[in-house]
Amino acid sequence: MMKRHTWIAVLGLAITQLLLGQDSGSVEKAAAKYVPGVAWRRQSVVSGNFSCRGRKEQAILGISKSEIVIAVFVNGLDSRPEVLHYSAKARNPETATLKTEDLDYDPKEAIGSDLDGFKLSKSCKGLNLSDGDTDSAHIYWNHKSHRFEDLTP
């Protein structure tokens, strides 16, 4: 049985999400509006400061017959998202997951070279696309090109 203060916190979060219109169902509906023909996974919605502009942004994972698709809403749910496409032949769409990851590391230490447009950050988040079999795609905001890029070892 949940303690009273836990229920209050859960209720407060739910009310905040509804008032902001950014619950996972809203993200799913926005993704379907801008990128039709994809089975969007409501439970995959993640939030973070993905473009490093100090905003809460949402991302969602979906699948089509041939692709795994990620929609990242960097300008709110009323604007077209940044869309990333990954082949369903290279990754298993049935087991694909989307998570946030910290960008508080030096890519030179991880891969031996700099990543163009990558900025180490304690507050910004990256995305991680994984299927449990293939190496994850580590997705970050490229500050030079102003779009998402990925690192797949």
Side-chain angles (χ1 to χ4, degrees), residues 36-39 62-69 84-94:
V38 174
I63 58 172
S64 69
K65 291 182 181 179
S66 61
E67 294 181 309
I68 298 169
V69 183
L84 298 95
H85 300 269
Y86 295 88
S87 172
K89 292 180 182 176
R91 288 184 170 75
N92 183 345
E94 297 306 316

Side-chain angles (χ1 to χ4, degrees), residues 3 17 29 35 44 48 75 80 84 110 119 122 127 132 153:
K3 294 183 179 178
Q17 288 177 333
K29 287 177 187 172
V35 190
S44 73
N75 293 311
R80 183 168 297 284
L84 298 95
K119 285 190 179 177
K122 291 183 185 289
L127 294 163

